[in-house]
Amino acid sequence: HRRSCIAYAFVRQHGRARRHGDGTLLSMVLNNMTQGVVLFDAHERVLVVNDRYVEMYGLSPAVVKPGCTLMELIQNRITTGSLNIDPEKYRSEIMTAVRDGAVMNRIVETPDGRAVLVVNRPIQNGKYWIGTHDDITERIQAERKSAALSEQERRRVTIETDLIVDQRSVDS
């Protein structure tokens, strides 16, 4: 019951914002997310795309907007250099996953060295699918640094252990 009250309040507020010409609350939320978000329909057309998605890949807002096709979006990513893959193969991978009801996860490296976690998830039995794009570059760098420090510590312990063993053999 509490969830339905919250949802009802959200819908009422969202509707009120529209009537007053203040823009939509949902649009404001989407455009202030740290993730890039794009929602497609079953006809492979963009229904919703947030500003972060367009900025993340340096795409053209004149091309990547509601109504553009998946192939137009893929072509714009190739043109801007944020995607380096066969367009038809990429489209086919996404559509196969959507048809199978499978979530498609991958980490893509952009030409400028960023790591982006891409998750394509079918919703409403494949009637729609949503792609979320999360720049995880800092997280990957922190994990690599932590792994390197752990490896250095392991080597230090090994060297110290070897030195202690060598010292004992000299003392004997």
Side-chain angles (χ1 to χ4, degrees):
H1 178 69
R2 180 160 164 48
R3 279 190 203 168
S4 62
C5 289
I6 292 170
Y8 176 73
F10 177 81
V11 169
R12 280 191 51 197
Q13 180 63 36
H14 178 64
R16 193 176 307 127
R18 267 194 184 153
R19 284 193 302 276
H20 290 120
D22 297 331
T24 65
L25 185 58
L26 182 58
S27 178
M28 183 176 63
V29 168
L30 285 172
N31 287 318
N32 283 285
M33 292 178 65
T34 59
Q35 289 182 322
V37 176
V38 61
L39 175 70
F40 293 89
D41 66 14
H43 303 288
E44 300 179 37
R45 293 214 171 264
V46 172
L47 297 175
V48 175
V49 60
N50 71 350
D51 293 343
R52 178 69 179 126
Y53 179 83
V54 173
E55 293 164 4
M56 182 178 280
Y57 295 115
L59 303 175
S60 168
V63 174
V64 180
K65 62 184 180 183
C68 102
T69 65
L70 174 60
M71 280 305 288
E72 290 169 336
L73 187 148
I74 290 171
Q75 288 296 341
N76 193 240
R77 286 199 51 203
I78 289 170
T79 300
T80 60
S82 66
L83 187 64
N84 186 16
I85 190 171
D86 175 73
E88 194 52 51
K89 180 181 180 219
Y90 187 54
R91 182 201 153 273
S92 178
E93 287 175 7
I94 293 170
M95 295 313 300
T96 298
V98 169
R99 274 191 293 279
D100 293 347
V103 175
M104 190 173 126
N105 294 310
R106 72 170 34 153
I107 295 175
V108 296
E109 296 265 342
T110 62
D112 63 359
R114 289 178 296 123
V116 178
L117 173 61
V118 178
V119 179
N120 286 300
R121 177 185 314 274
I123 50 180
Q124 288 194 344
N125 296 323
K127 184 175 178 183
Y128 305 99
W129 87 91
I130 188 165
T132 56
H133 299 248
D134 195 6
D135 187 335
I136 59 169
T137 306
E138 289 179 12
R139 185 175 90 195
I140 295 287
Q141 289 171 342
E143 288 172 359
R144 287 178 183 159
K145 183 177 180 179
S146 177
L149 290 172
S150 292
E151 178 60 19
Q152 285 177 349
E153 179 62 16
R154 186 195 63 76
R155 287 180 188 163
R156 184 191 64 76
V157 168
T158 301
I159 290 168
E160 286 179 358
T161 303
D162 289 347
L163 288 172
I164 291 169
V165 169
D166 288 346
Q167 183 64 40
R168 286 183 183 157
S169 66
V170 168
D171 290 344
S172 307

